[in-house]
Structures are given as structure tokens and as C-alpha cells.
Amino acid sequence: MSTGREAFGARLARAMDELGPLCVGIDPHRSLLEAWGLSDDAAGLREFSLRAVEAVAGRVAAVKPQSAFFERHGSAGVAVLEETLAALREAGTLSVLDVKRGDIGSTMSGYADAYLSDGSPLAADALTVSPYLGFGSLAPVLDLARETGRGVFVLGLTSNPEGRSVQHATDPSGRSVAGGVVDGVTVANAAARADGTLGSVGLVVGATVGRAVHDLGLDLAASAAPLLAPGVGAQGAGAPELEQVFGVARRQVLASTSRDVLQAGPDVGALRAAAETATGQAVAALRG
């Protein structure tokens, strides 16, 4: 049963139009905590995360906490993640929780409840998931996201060299695994596509995958998917790379960056200035 919340895709599209197509990651690496003069424990993690929220909330389209860097501090770190997500909700900024969960049956339903249920302390506006137990394994997450007006970003085409052996592999018909994932997302977004709006089921497509989208015959524009694109900025992708990868689907892209902004800390003003610069670059590359 729908909660009455506006669909994630519509909320994200509006945020991208109003604030620019940038998602800032909160990735509290040990080295970043040290660079900010913070302790590598839950107290340092809390200071880092809430300062990042203070700096960018309301100023960028979305914020993406990376769950691994919270989980490494145990239950105290997960408590900080809950507090960070709550701070983003309070600020009215969309959260994308980067967890890349993937499982089957009741276990996947458990993940869905944890990250997409109203009232869950870990609830985010969207989360990342892995489809490599078969796209159908994502049904519990896709169903609950639809019911609650939340979103899902499905790993589609990643830039790590190891990913090619799975994502570029083909079935007897010649369709690649990545192509099958895009096909599943396209079906999931059929209603949004018919309405000419951005869907709530997105794809994670690395900004540095070069010609892979073209070579594998992936129609990202037809998917109506928001395209979360890691690898922008410090990881190497600028306007030419984004044009090569996304082409006519560029307006669907939510560029993801973390280091380019976070390395400007710990000063809140410096973080904001870095986020503004990154937003301007994303607008120029994707909306120019």
C-alpha cells in the first residue's frame, strides 16, 4: 500500500534541476579522518559525518553515505550512520545509502525492511543494490521502494577491471549481463517512461567505462533511469568522458563525487566552496 510519498524519481529530478546534478559522498576513510584531525573511532566518525551534512545539505541534489566506513566501527558506527541519515531527512536532502546489498528471498526482504521501511532508523531515500543473483532477486527491494516512494540504484556497469568478466559476459543470444540488467530496469521504469518522467529505479554506471555502453548496445536513455555515475572529478572523468559514456542520456546522470569535496575539510566554508565548484562542473558537463 502506497504511503503517499512522491516517487523518488520525481523528487530527484526536481533536486537535480534546482541544485544541479551532483551527489556528494560521505566516505570517512581512515586517511580522511586523519587529514581532518579527527580520531579513527565513532566520535571522529560522528564529527566528520555531521560536519559534511552541515556543509552540503540543501546545497546539492543528494548525499551518499558509504555504509562500509560506518560499519567498520561496529554498532557505534552504525548508530552514527543512523544519525547521519536522520540529519539528512531533517535537512530535506535526498540520501542515497551505498550498501550494494544483494541476496534472495527472505534475506533480501530483510534488507528491504532495513533500508526502505518507514520508521526504520536506517531508512534512506534510495539505496544501491547488486543484481548478480539475478535481476528477479531484487523484487523485494523494488516492491517496497515502489510502495514507500523510495528509490533503488542497481549496479549496471562498473569501472573496476574485475567487473568486465561478469558484466560483459553474454548469454546464448549475445545479450550481455549488463544489458540484461538495463533491460530489467527499463521494464521497472515503464510507467515513468510513458509519462516522460525520471524513473525511481536507477543504474550505477561508472563514469570511466569508456566505450563500454556503446559496445554493449546499452540504451540508457530508454531506461528512464537516474544514472548514478561514480568516477567524476578526482577519479578521472570530465566532460569528454561523460559525453562518451552517457551521450544523449546525460541529463539523467547524477554525478557522484566524494574526494573532490571532502579533501577540502574540515572547514565547513571550504567544504561548501568545493561542493559549489563540483556542482558547477557537473552542470557544465551534463547540462551545458
Side-chain angles (χ1 to χ4, degrees):
M1 185 175 184
S2 175
T3 62
R5 182 181 289 110
E6 185 180 21
F8 172 76
R11 291 186 284 140
L12 178 60
R14 184 167 58 252
M16 290 167 67
D17 287 344
E18 293 177 356
L19 299 170
L22 186 74
C23 175
V24 173
I26 299 182
D27 294 10
H29 295 267
R30 180 183 289 108
S31 60
L32 272 172
L33 291 170
E34 180 180 350
W36 282 30
L38 299 173
S39 54
D40 184 23
D41 56 19
L45 179 71
R46 182 179 187 274
E47 176 65 23
F48 182 99
S49 302
L50 295 184
R51 192 175 301 187
V53 171
E54 178 187 357
V56 303
R59 298 169 183 269
V60 297
V63 173
K64 181 173 68 66
Q66 168 49 258
S67 185
F69 296 112
F70 294 83
E71 293 174 32
R72 63 183 286 265
H73 294 282
S75 60
V78 174
V80 173
L81 177 57
E82 293 174 357
E83 190 173 359
T84 302
L85 291 168
L88 290 168
R89 284 194 293 272
E90 180 67 22
T93 295
L94 294 175
S95 59
V96 178
L97 182 56
D98 199 353
V99 292
K100 300 183 181 72
R101 300 295 190 246
D103 216 306
I104 58 174
S106 60
T107 307
M108 199 60 173
S109 294
Y111 285 134
D113 288 341
Y115 302 119
L116 298 171
S117 290
D118 288 332
S120 169
L122 284 169
D125 291 292
L127 76 154
T128 60
V129 296
S130 172
Y132 296 114
L133 289 176
F135 194 85
S137 68
L138 302 179
V141 165
L142 298 177
D143 290 347
L144 189 55
R146 183 173 57 252
E147 291 171 11
T148 61
R150 292 186 165 91
V152 176
F153 284 94
V154 183
L155 290 176
L157 197 61
T158 60
S159 57
N160 61 306
E162 303 86 356
R164 293 179 61 91
S165 64
V166 174
Q167 297 158 16
H168 292 225
T170 57
D171 64 18
S173 74
R175 188 60 166 159
S176 67
V177 171
V181 172
V182 173
D183 292 344
V185 169
T186 301
V187 170
N189 286 331
R193 186 172 64 257
D195 290 339
T197 60
L198 194 65
S200 295
V201 182
L203 286 159
V204 179
V205 179
T208 56
V209 297
R211 288 184 50 85
V213 171
H214 175 271
D215 292 346
L216 296 175
L218 309 183
D219 192 343
L220 299 180
S223 71
L227 304 170
L228 182 64
V232 176
Q235 291 175 270
E241 291 79 13
L242 291 168
E243 170 63 29
Q244 180 184 43
V245 173
F246 299 105
V248 296
R250 285 187 305 158
R251 289 191 65 85
Q252 296 164 226
V253 173
L254 178 63
S256 177
T257 187
S258 56
R259 276 180 287 174
D260 275 3
V261 173
L262 298 176
Q263 67 187 4
D267 181 73
V268 168
L271 287 165
R272 284 179 178 164
E276 289 172 5
T277 297
T279 296
Q281 293 170 343
V283 170
L286 298 168
R287 304 264 171 138

